Amino acid sequence: AMEETYLLNVEGVKKKILHGGQGELPKFQDGSKITFHFQTLKDNFERTVIDDSREAGIPMEIIVGKMFKMEIWETLLSSMRAGEVAEFWCDAIHTGMYALVSKGMRRIAEGRDPLEGQKHRCGMGNMFDYHSTGYDDLDELQRTPQPLIFIMELFRVEEPSAYKRDTWAMSKEEKLAAVPVLHSEGNRLVLRKEFRQAAAKYQEAVICLRNLQAKEKPWEDGWLKLESLVTPLVLNYCQCQLELGEYYEVLEHTTELLQKHKDNAKAYFKRAKAHAAVWNEREAREDFLRVADLDPAMAAAVKKELKQLGERMRKKHVEDRKRYQGLFHSHQLGTGQ
């Protein structure tokens, strides 16, 4: 029905919509993830199929701005809405890289290393050296540049923060940019009392920063700057774990933090709460008192916590005594004396 042909604002590209999509045009930005199926056909009478992602069964995923070799694909996909199926005719000026891209995708689908066996040579040599790709049809494409037809079905476009980026796939700048986004997502989830999801966001941000830190010299400027970002995230993570009742996790992380930062009142406070929760009365008291020492502004909160701790411990002692007495009595009755 909607078979009219569009010219995208790109020389040598024609588009036919085969099936309309829904909603607005998605926003494409660096780091967006695009998920789609594609078919590549020759522009001949038979429309010979060169590649078809449906055969592998798994849709293609590319990340915008990741120097994906088929730049024209980003252009084509960015004209589509979610759910749309479209056919694009692309002139030979846009398809020169296709054989190499296809070779890489095929090798990955076969479970092989996409780069294996490439000759590494300086300069432009590679561009004009038509050594075999290992696939006859692709060799033919390399020898005779020609127009190709791409049929694409766009499933979704996800913003950089909406999906879990594999941390290794991110550049240093992307990792640094991800941290405040993850931090504020975590804070938003805490307000909704979704502590488990919030903890995951804080943890992901910490992993990004730790990855960057690994490339710096410990305790030098770059490392310290990153460490100053790590600390509040670890504390927020611990707060979530307190809410979730994961007290031993809190003890572990706060203790680790305090080995590096001996004066962090908040870390002592969270560790004290965890100690109190698991009945380590002496350790909890010590930590609470240290908090009041380090940060007079927290003295009132500490006083309240110590009072609560005292009451909880007294109650526990009473219950324990009753339980022991109960055990003792039932034991006596049981022996029939």
Side-chain angles (χ1 to χ4, degrees), residues 1-52:
M2 302 179 57
E3 288 267 329
E4 64 262 42
T5 302
Y6 303 85
L7 289 164
L8 302 187
N9 310 328
V10 185
E11 196 67 38
V13 174
K14 286 184 280 209
K15 172 180 182 181
K16 256 192 254 181
I17 293 179
L18 306 180
H19 182 290
Q22 303 95 34
E24 298 293 301
L25 273 175
K27 283 195 183 55
F28 286 75
Q29 46 180 327
D30 264 15
S32 297
K33 183 167 84 175
I34 316 173
T35 307
F36 61 102
H37 263 311
F38 75 95
Q39 218 184 18
T40 306
L41 316 171
K42 285 176 114 177
D43 183 21
N44 57 6
F45 186 69
E46 293 82 21
R47 291 171 58 110
T48 312
V49 176
I50 300 169
D51 287 303
D52 185 345

Side-chain angles (χ1 to χ4, degrees), residues 103 106-107 110 112 132-140:
K103 169 192 167 180
R106 289 180 188 188
R107 295 185 71 99
E110 292 161 11
R112 293 150 73 195
S132 172
T133 58
Y135 304 95
D136 292 343
D137 57 341
L138 298 182
D139 286 351
E140 191 258 331

